[in-house]
């Protein structure tokens, strides 16, 4: 079948058509977006300007904060501006670009979380070999592999969508361009494409989630032999990772593991992994991690003291 597109732009229906709800959501998500930038930048600057950057766990946390910023910035700015706009139009090219970039940075986040779980597994289950295994070269290799895997995932996702013909209507019942809402608009049978999308997104998310769960179960089993103080510290660190994994993966699996269908609840679940998770990640890692809190105090108090000294001079 020849791929013919009569559609040059799409209309995003957004979260609600009620003006009062839209204005309330505008304020809410604007503050959320500001909070995402402040929290993740705070973590990135604090880690980069301290000795924590030399530790693999914080090296990955730094990359996670960066991917959070990039990931949410592909969706949230347009969501916020569209909430005040009467016509929420996005061009075909911009829609496909948003789809590619969002899945690219989302894929990076998935693989970085896997890398962080591997780091904790080596640190707890093979502590004597930790320095040799998790050297800086290995850390960079994991980041490069994460970016490569995310690019391949996003490329396939975008290729499957671009190959579809769109003849009309052009209203996307979502607040951003995603595969399932676009499949609903395609003027052809999308069953096979839907299966490939599930294999590409759903199975990738499910396999990664199962690997993460198994790794943390193995870590918990190993911790039984640790002294109480060491066990408590390790559990505190791992609980932060587990909380972030659950907050991100559960809504992702709800949407992508099922056949290619859409539900009204999808938009609410999508808010969790596009806005809520990137906003709470800095809070979770800061409140549950003594090293991060100590570093924040040292870095920012030192900077304030230096600034104060320059003003006095």
């Amino acid at each position: 079948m020849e791929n013919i597109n009569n559609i040059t732009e799409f209309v995003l229906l957004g979260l609600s058509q009620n003006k009062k709800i839209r204005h309330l959501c505008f304020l809410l998500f604007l503050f959320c977006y500001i909070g995402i930038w402040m929290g993740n930048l705070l973590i990135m600057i604090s880690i980069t300007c301290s000795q924590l950057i030399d530790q693999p766990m914080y090296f990955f946390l730094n990359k996670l904060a960066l991917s959070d910023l990039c990931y949410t910035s592909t969706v949230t700015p347009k969501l916020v501006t569209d909430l005040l706009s009467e016509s929420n139009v996005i061009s075909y090219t911009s829609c496909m670009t948003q789809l590619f970039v969002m899945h690219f940075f989302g894929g990076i986040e998935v693989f970085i979380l896997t890398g962080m779980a591997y780091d904790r597994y080596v640190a707890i289950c093979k502590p004597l070999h930790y320095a040799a295994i998790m050297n800086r070269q290995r850390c960079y290799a994991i980041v490069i592999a994460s970016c490569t895997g995310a690019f391949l995932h996003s490329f396939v996702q975008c290729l499957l969508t671009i190959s579809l013909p769109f003849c009309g209507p052009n209203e996307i019942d979502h607040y951003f361009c995603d595969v399932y809402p676009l499949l609903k608009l395609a003027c052809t049978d999308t069953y096979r494409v839907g299966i490939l999308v599930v294999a590409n997104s759903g199975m990738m998310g499910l396999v990664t989630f199962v690997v993460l769960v198994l790794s943390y179960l193995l870590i918990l089993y190993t911790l039984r032999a640790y002294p109480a103080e060491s066990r408590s510290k390790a559990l505190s660190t791992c609980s932060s990772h587990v909380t972030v994994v659950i907050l991100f993966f559960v809504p992702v699996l709800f949407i992508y593991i099922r056949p290619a269908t859409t539900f009204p609840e999808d938009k609410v679940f999508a808010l969790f992994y596009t806005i809520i998770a990137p906003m709470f990640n800095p809070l979770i890692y800061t409140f549950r991690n003594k090293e991060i809190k100590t570093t924040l105090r040292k870095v920012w108090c030192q900077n304030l003291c230096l600034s104060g000294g320059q003003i006095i001079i």
Side-chain angles (χ1 to χ4, degrees):
M1 180 179 177
E2 189 179 356
N3 185 1
I4 301 175
N5 278 333
N6 296 329
I7 301 295
T8 58
E9 61 184 24
F10 295 101
V11 178
L12 297 170
L13 297 182
L15 294 172
S16 174
Q17 300 302 312
N18 186 298
K19 279 192 175 183
K20 289 184 178 180
I21 295 176
R22 287 163 66 93
H23 290 162
L24 183 63
C25 288
F26 167 78
L27 292 173
L28 175 63
F29 295 129
L30 178 63
F31 283 121
C32 286
Y33 190 53
I34 294 171
I36 289 168
W37 269 92
M38 289 178 63
N40 284 287
L41 278 178
L42 190 66
I43 282 187
M44 289 170 62
I45 294 170
S46 299
I47 292 175
T48 305
C49 296
S50 69
Q51 294 180 346
L52 289 181
I53 193 65
D54 297 325
Q55 299 181 36
M57 184 177 80
Y58 298 104
F59 173 83
F60 289 126
L61 180 56
N62 194 34
K63 305 304 179 189
L64 181 67
L66 178 60
S67 67
D68 272 337
L69 280 179
C70 296
Y71 181 57
T72 194
S73 294
T74 63
V75 175
T76 311
K78 179 155 181 63
L79 167 64
V80 171
T81 54
D82 283 352
L83 286 168
L84 294 182
S85 176
E86 294 295 330
S87 179
N88 306 330
V89 175
I90 184 170
S91 68
Y92 177 86
T93 303
S94 297
C95 184
M96 295 303 135
T97 302
Q98 186 185 56
L99 175 69
F100 177 84
V101 175
M102 189 193 74
H103 279 272
F104 174 64
F105 286 114
I108 290 177
E109 184 151 350
V110 167
F111 294 125
I112 289 293
L113 285 170
T114 308
M116 293 175 77
Y118 176 69
D119 170 69
R120 290 300 85 201
Y121 164 76
V122 175
I124 293 170
C125 299
K126 299 182 179 181
L128 297 178
H129 304 284
Y130 179 70
I133 295 174
M134 295 305 297
N135 53 49
R136 188 42 57 101
Q137 187 177 0
R138 178 67 59 85
C139 292
Y140 278 118
I142 290 173
V143 172
I144 292 170
S146 299
C147 294
T148 304
F151 176 82
L152 292 174
H153 157 72
S154 187
F155 178 77
V156 172
Q157 198 85 320
C158 201
L159 187 65
L160 291 171
T161 310
I162 289 175
S163 66
L164 296 172
F166 296 97
C167 314
N170 67 336
E171 292 184 338
I172 300 175
D173 189 16
H174 217 305
Y175 61 89
F176 64 90
C177 289
D178 204 5
V179 182
Y180 284 173
L182 286 168
L183 288 179
K184 195 176 179 181
L185 299 181
C187 49
T188 187
D189 181 18
T190 59
Y191 177 76
R192 290 183 179 179
V193 176
I195 294 296
L196 293 174
V197 169
V198 171
N200 184 39
S201 291
M203 291 308 297
M204 184 190 82
L206 181 62
V207 170
T208 307
F209 183 68
V210 169
V211 169
L212 289 170
V213 170
L214 290 176
S215 67
Y216 284 118
L217 287 175
L218 188 58
I219 287 171
L220 288 174
Y221 179 80
T222 305
L223 283 174
R224 296 188 311 164
Y226 274 57
E229 186 177 347
S230 300
R231 186 166 60 244
S232 176
K233 183 179 179 181
L235 283 172
S236 177
T237 304
C238 289
S239 64
S240 300
H241 295 317
V242 171
T243 305
V244 170
V245 165
I246 291 172
L247 195 61
F248 183 82
F249 273 92
V250 170
V252 165
L253 292 177
F254 173 81
I255 291 177
Y256 292 110
I257 199 62
R258 64 172 190 254
T261 54
T262 57
F263 298 115
E265 297 84 7
D266 287 353
K267 289 185 275 189
V268 177
F269 277 90
L271 288 172
F272 275 90
Y273 59 82
T274 56
I275 297 177
I276 296 173
M279 182 179 65
F280 278 103
N281 283 358
L283 297 175
I284 292 168
Y285 283 114
T286 302
F287 289 143
R288 299 301 301 272
N289 193 303
K290 289 182 179 179
E291 283 185 295
I292 285 285
K293 286 190 284 188
T294 303
T295 300
L296 285 173
R297 282 194 293 268
K298 283 183 179 179
V299 170
W300 294 102
C301 287
Q302 188 178 35
N303 288 337
L304 288 172
C305 289
L306 288 174
S307 300
Q310 289 175 354
I311 292 170
I312 292 170
I313 292 170

